[in-house]
């Protein structure tokens, strides 16, 4: 199995981009399909928390 070490802060690098917005929205949609991001994906959980804490998302 291939493991990827995540070294970027956001999806496309160290800068918040439209890729992060799209992926964050997708993560919300998959919850409606009963798909959950669990402890097996810690980098994704950290990224999702980081994005959720941004003022524009926190105030939405």
């Amino acid at each position: 199995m291939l493991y990827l070490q995540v070294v970027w802060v956001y999806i496309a690098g160290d800068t918040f981009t439209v890729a992060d917005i799209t992926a964050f929205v997708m993560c919300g949609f998959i919850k409606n399909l009963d798909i959950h991001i669990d402890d097996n994906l810690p980098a994704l959980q950290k990224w999702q928390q980081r994005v959720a804490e941004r003022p524009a998302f926190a105030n939405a």
Side-chain angles (χ1 to χ4, degrees):
M1 179 174 266
L2 176 65
Y3 291 94
L4 177 65
Q5 181 179 356
V6 178
V7 295
W8 292 339
V9 177
Y10 295 107
I11 297 290
D14 292 329
T15 305
F16 185 76
T17 67
V18 70
D20 295 288
I21 296 168
T22 304
F24 189 81
V25 171
M26 184 271 313
C27 287
F29 284 143
I30 65 172
K31 290 178 185 175
N32 295 328
L33 301 173
D34 203 28
I35 299 171
H36 302 282
I37 298 169
D38 61 18
D39 293 338
N40 293 324
L41 303 168
L44 182 56
Q45 288 178 330
K46 288 177 187 176
W47 166 83
Q48 193 173 22
Q49 183 64 37
R50 189 178 309 115
V51 173
E53 291 173 350
R54 291 179 61 86
F57 283 91
N59 295 330

